[in-house]
Amino acid sequence: MPRPDHPQSYYDDIKGKFKQARDVRLDYRPPGTEQFTSEFSGELAKYAVDPYAKAVEQREPITDKVEVLFIGGGFSALLTSARLREHGLESIRIVERGSDVGGTWYWNRYPGAACDVVSYDYLPLLDELDYVPVDHYSRGPEIFGHCQKIAKKYNLYELAVFNTTVTETIWNEEEQLWHVKTDCGDVMRAQFVICANGTLAKPKLSTIKGMTSFAGHSFHTSRWDYDYTGVDLENLKDKVVGIIGTGASAVQIVPELAKNAKQLYVFQRTPSSIDVREDWPTDPNWARKLEPGWQATRRAKVLAVVENSLEKRAAKGATSPEEKLRKQENANIDYMMRIHRRIDKIVDDQETADALKPWYMFMCKRPCFHNDYLPAFNRPNVQLVDTKGEGITEIGPKGPVFNGKEYDVDVLIYATGFEVQQTGIYNTIVGEANVNLQDKYADGIRTLLGIHTAGFPNLFIMGGYQASFQFNLTDMLQTQGDHIAACIDYVRSNGYHSLDVSDEAEQWWVDEVINHRGKTTRSEECTPGYYNMEGDSQRRQDGNYNGGFRQYFEHQGEVREKMEENFNLKAKPA
Ligand code: NDP
C-alpha cells in the first residue's frame, strides 16, 4: 500500500494527542499495579472458584518421587513433556490447580473464546499428533481438546495430580531433590522441577470501592458461570448485563453478550485497537497435501526470519537514529489512524465511534482482531459507557456507578485481566542455602535465558521475565521446552544428577537483558496497561529480553554448546 503523504506536523499533532490521552489516564488511576488484586480471599474468594471442577475425590497425600515435576498443566508442560518423552524420560508428573490439563484454555471458556494467532502456528505438536486445525483461527474448545490429546498421547494423565495447588518448592540438600508441598498435604519429591504456571494465569480484579456490596451476580471472565448464563447464553434474554473492561477477552465476549442479553452495558476505561480478523475453514485440499513435518518447517521459517515488522520496514534506509525513529513512529501512527477510520466506517453513532478510538501507539496495548465487536455497538440493546480514562471506581448494590449514575445490572462480568508473568514465583521457592527466590530477586531478576537461576539446581522457569517476547507464545515456549529437555538429557546422559547455572553465565545474561532494554522511551510514553506494568517504573533487568526472538533462540543453542562452562554439573552424592 502506498504510504500516505502527510506533513510531519500531522504526525506531531497526533503524538501530542497520544500524550494527552496517556496523561488523562495517569492522572485518574491509583498507582500502577496496586490498583488490582489477585488475592481472592474473604468476600472475593468466590472469584477464584473453579466452575469447571469435576467432583473432587479425596485422596491420600502423595510422597513419592518422580524424575520431572511440572507446576502447571498448560502448553508449557505439554510441549516440554513431549520432548522429554522423546529423550526417554519416564516419570513425569503434572501438578495442576484445575481439574484437567489445558491452562489458559482450561480456564478461559467464555463465549467466543478463540486464539488470535494462526492455528497452524499456535497449536503445538501438530506434526506429532498428525492433526490439522479446522479453521485458520482456532476456537477455545478445539484448543482445549488439543491439550487433552497431547496429554493422552504422551501418557501424562497417569501421574498427573489435579485440583491441587503447589504451595512450597524446597531444595533438599541431603537428597539433592526438590520437595514440592501442596494444599492437599502432599510432599512430592522430584529430581527436576519446571515452573510452567503460565504468563497470564492468575485472574485479577480492579479493586473498586463498594464492589462487595453489589447485590447481583458477578464473575471473572476466566471463571465463566454457564449455570447462570446458560450454555448458549439463553438465560440472559431477560437480563441486564454489565461488563467491566475492553481488553482482548471482552472484545471476544461482547458480540456474544450483545446477541443474547436483554441489555448490555460495556464499561470502558481505554479502548482496544480492533483490526480485521481474516478467518476461514481449513481448505481440505491444502491439508491433504501437507507433507509430514510441515509444522516444524513453518516454525523453522519463523526462526530464520530476521524480524521485519511494519515499523522496521519503514525505518529501512533511514540515515540517522532520529530519522529511523521518526519513520517508525509515523508508520505506527498511519496504522492507528486506519484503525480509527475503520471505526468511523462501522459504528453508526458518532459519539460512540469517537469513544471507541484508541489514542496510543500500536502495540502500547495488546492489539485485537474481531469482525463483530464494533458492529455490536450498533445494536439498540448495547450501550458503551465510556469513562474517558477514569474507569469504574465505585460499585453500588445495583451496579457500577459512573458520573453519579448507578447502572442497574443483573450480572456484572469482570474482564479485568490477569497478573502478569509471575511464573516461577507464585509459590514459595527455596533453593540451596535456604535462599528464597523472592529474596534473591529483591534487587532485580537474575536468570540465564529467563529459564535458569543460580542456586536453584534442576529448576527451570518457563514464560517468565528475561525471556524473549513473541506474539505467538507457543513459538517461544517451544524453544524453551526444547532447551529444557536437552539440558535434562545432557545431565542424564553424562552421568550427572544436577545442573545449576554458573554465576558468570547468569551475569552475562542479566547484562544482555539490560543492554537490550530501553532503546526508546516508547514504553513510558504509552498509556498504562499490562505491557508497561501499568506505567510503574521498572528496573531495567525486570522485563523481557528485547534482543529479538531469533537471537534468543540462538543464545539457547550457544549456551548448550558449552554446558560444562555455563553450568555447575554435579553427580548424585553417594
Ligand atoms: P486485559 O488486561 O488486556 O484487559 C483488562 C481490561 O480491564 C482493560 O480494558 C482495562 O482498562 C480494564 N479495566 C481494568 N480496571 C478497570 C476499571 N476499574 N474500570 C474499567 N475498566 C477497567 O485483560 P484481558 O483478559 O482482556 O486479556 C488479557 C490477555 O490475555 C490479552 O492481552 C491476551 O494476551 C490474552 N488473550 C488473548 C486472546 C486471543 O488470543 N484472542 C483472547 C483473550 C485474552 P485499561 O486498558 O484502561 O487498563
Side-chain angles (χ1 to χ4, degrees):
M1 234 204 287
R3 300 279 319 282
D5 189 16
H6 296 299
Q8 187 55 36
S9 57
Y10 163 88
Y11 294 106
D12 293 343
D13 284 353
I14 292 172
K15 252 192 104 178
K17 284 190 190 158
F18 287 178
K19 186 173 177 315
Q20 264 171 16
R22 185 204 64 159
D23 290 347
V24 165
R25 173 78 171 72
L26 276 172
D27 285 348
Y28 275 128
R29 75 199 168 95
T33 47
E34 279 173 33
Q35 64 186 296
F36 295 108
T37 181
S38 286
E39 291 313 316
F40 293 171
S41 53
E43 289 186 271
L44 298 186
K46 63 178 180 179
Y47 294 106
V49 173
D50 178 359
Y52 321 116
K54 297 169 195 147
V56 180
E57 278 175 34
Q58 288 296 321
R59 58 168 177 77
E60 289 301 308
I62 299 171
T63 52
D64 63 359
K65 183 192 149 198
V66 294
E67 286 169 302
V68 178
L69 184 145
F70 285 95
I71 303 174
F75 273 143
S76 297
L78 297 171
L79 52 78
T80 307
S81 295
R83 296 294 178 254
L84 289 169
R85 289 284 195 231
E86 286 163 15
H87 287 300
L89 269 99
E90 282 173 10
S91 59
I92 300 177
R93 166 167 293 144
I94 286 172
V95 183
E96 166 59 54
R97 191 193 302 263
S99 61
D100 204 336
V101 296
T104 290
W105 301 101
Y106 171 87
W107 294 108
N108 287 281
R109 304 193 200 185
Y110 57 75
C115 184
D116 280 345
V117 178
V118 171
S119 60
Y120 321 119
D121 299 316
Y122 180 73
L123 266 67
L125 306 170
L126 292 178
D127 293 325
E128 289 81 350
L129 271 80
D130 194 18
Y131 181 67
V132 181
V134 288
D135 293 303
H136 189 231
Y137 291 107
S138 288
R139 311 291 187 272
E142 183 187 22
I143 307 175
F144 179 35
H146 188 67
C147 293
Q148 293 170 313
K149 282 186 217 150
I150 296 172
K152 278 188 200 126
K153 176 171 169 87
Y154 293 100
N155 200 17
L156 298 173
Y157 279 117
E158 198 182 344
L159 286 179
V161 181
F162 295 112
N163 308 301
T164 303
T165 299
V166 172
T167 52
E168 286 176 88
T169 305
I170 297 172
W171 179 248
N172 184 295
E173 307 265 1
E174 204 179 312
E175 293 177 24
Q176 296 281 296
L177 294 175
W178 287 101
H179 283 201
V180 178
K181 298 186 184 176
T182 75
D183 62 349
C184 297
D186 310 301
V187 188
M188 305 168 187
R189 293 172 307 141
Q191 186 180 355
F192 302 96
V193 166
I194 303 177
C195 301
N197 40 334
T199 55
L200 293 163
K202 250 187 170 183
K204 70 181 196 268
L205 293 172
S206 193
T207 33
I208 301 173
K209 189 174 119 197
M211 64 197 294
T212 53
S213 72
F214 177 59
H217 194 63
S218 59
F219 53 86
H220 185 273
T221 52
S222 66
R223 303 288 188 277
W224 195 270
D225 188 349
Y226 281 103
D227 283 346
Y228 181 89
T229 64
V231 180
D232 295 316
L233 310 189
E234 65 278 9
N235 300 347
L236 298 181
K237 64 177 183 299
D238 57 354
K239 299 278 188 295
V240 180
V241 181
I243 184 164
I244 298 183
T246 50
S249 299
V251 165
Q252 295 186 331
I253 294 166
V254 162
E256 304 301 318
L257 293 175
K259 276 187 269 172
N260 293 285
K262 181 172 113 188
Q263 169 76 34
L264 172 65
Y265 293 113
V266 180
F267 298 98
Q268 171 181 276
R269 183 163 66 182
T270 315
S272 286
S273 74
I274 321 281
D275 208 343
V276 184
R277 184 180 170 85
E278 296 189 47
D279 199 7
W280 55 78
T282 298
D283 176 354
N285 291 325
W286 173 79
R288 213 173 300 119
K289 284 186 210 138
L290 290 169
E291 301 279 340
W294 63 273
Q295 193 190 36
T297 310
R298 273 176 87 98
R299 282 197 192 267
K301 277 189 193 150
V302 173
L303 283 164
V305 167
V306 180
E307 274 136 67
N308 201 9
S309 65
L310 166 92
E311 297 186 348
K312 285 194 175 144
R313 284 199 301 273
K316 262 193 193 152
T319 50
S320 64
E322 293 74 32
E323 194 193 341
K324 193 170 154 190
L325 182 63
R326 190 175 54 76
K327 283 198 168 178
Q328 283 180 359
E329 285 183 347
N330 292 357
N332 188 315
I333 290 169
D334 286 339
Y335 175 83
M336 290 307 278
M337 292 306 107
R338 184 172 70 67
I339 293 293
H340 283 203
R341 287 194 295 279
R342 184 164 178 264
I343 297 168
D344 280 332
K345 227 193 253 168
I346 295 173
V347 179
D348 299 336
D349 175 62
Q350 193 57 50
E351 201 183 320
T352 307
D354 288 340
L356 286 166
K357 287 176 187 162
W359 287 97
Y360 47 78
M361 290 279 186
F362 182 60
M363 286 308 279
C364 274
K365 280 183 181 288
R366 202 282 200 176
C368 298
F369 306 86
H370 210 291
N371 300 341
D372 301 326
Y373 178 74
L374 295 171
F377 292 96
N378 293 335
R379 299 178 73 109
N381 64 329
V382 178
Q383 187 186 331
L384 180 72
V385 182
D386 178 29
T387 67
K388 300 185 170 56
E390 183 173 359
I392 293 300
T393 55
E394 192 181 342
I395 296 177
K398 290 186 192 154
V401 180
F402 181 67
N403 257 352
K405 176 173 173 184
E406 185 168 346
Y407 288 81
D408 194 346
V409 300
D410 296 301
V411 56
L412 187 56
I413 299 165
Y414 288 95
T416 45
F418 301 86
E419 210 176 64
V420 182
Q421 278 182 320
Q422 299 289 311
T423 179
I425 48 176
Y426 277 151
N427 69 92
T428 303
I429 302 180
V430 180
E432 280 182 339
N434 247 349
V435 174
N436 186 314
L437 188 56
Q438 296 271 25
D439 294 336
K440 173 176 170 174
Y441 283 178
D443 294 327
I445 294 173
R446 298 187 61 79
T447 73
L448 171 64
L449 300 166
I451 298 174
H452 316 264
T453 187
F456 295 77
N458 288 356
L459 182 89
F460 305 90
I461 299 165
M462 298 185 74
Y465 280 132
Q466 297 198 346
S468 182
F469 173 83
Q470 182 70 346
F471 194 67
N472 181 13
L473 185 63
T474 57
D475 270 340
M476 220 283 293
L477 295 176
Q478 189 68 71
T479 69
Q480 291 195 325
D482 292 353
H483 171 85
I484 292 167
C487 288
I488 291 177
D489 183 50
Y490 187 90
V491 170
R492 287 161 35 98
S493 326
N494 291 281
Y496 295 118
H497 174 78
S498 67
L499 96 170
D500 188 12
V501 56
S502 72
D503 291 335
E504 296 74 28
E506 184 177 274
Q507 186 59 49
W508 163 72
W509 188 250
V510 171
D511 292 341
E512 274 293 294
V513 172
I514 291 171
N515 291 340
H516 284 96
R517 299 266 299 165
K519 284 181 186 160
T520 70
T521 50
R522 170 75 59 81
S523 175
E524 287 158 38
E525 288 168 9
C526 278
T527 190
Y530 81 83
Y531 273 14
N532 68 352
M533 294 295 285
E534 305 295 334
D536 279 346
S537 63
Q538 250 181 313
R539 279 180 300 235
R540 288 168 72 80
Q541 72 206 67
D542 292 357
N544 293 320
Y545 164 70
N546 287 345
F549 179 53
R550 183 175 129 169
Q551 288 76 0
Y552 177 68
F553 174 69
E554 284 172 355
H555 284 316
Q556 289 177 345
E558 286 156 20
V559 164
R560 290 200 305 278
E561 270 166 30
K562 295 188 180 156
M563 290 295 288
E564 303 285 333
E565 271 177 43
N566 290 320
F567 294 97
N568 300 314
L569 291 140
K570 281 196 202 154
K572 191 165 191 248

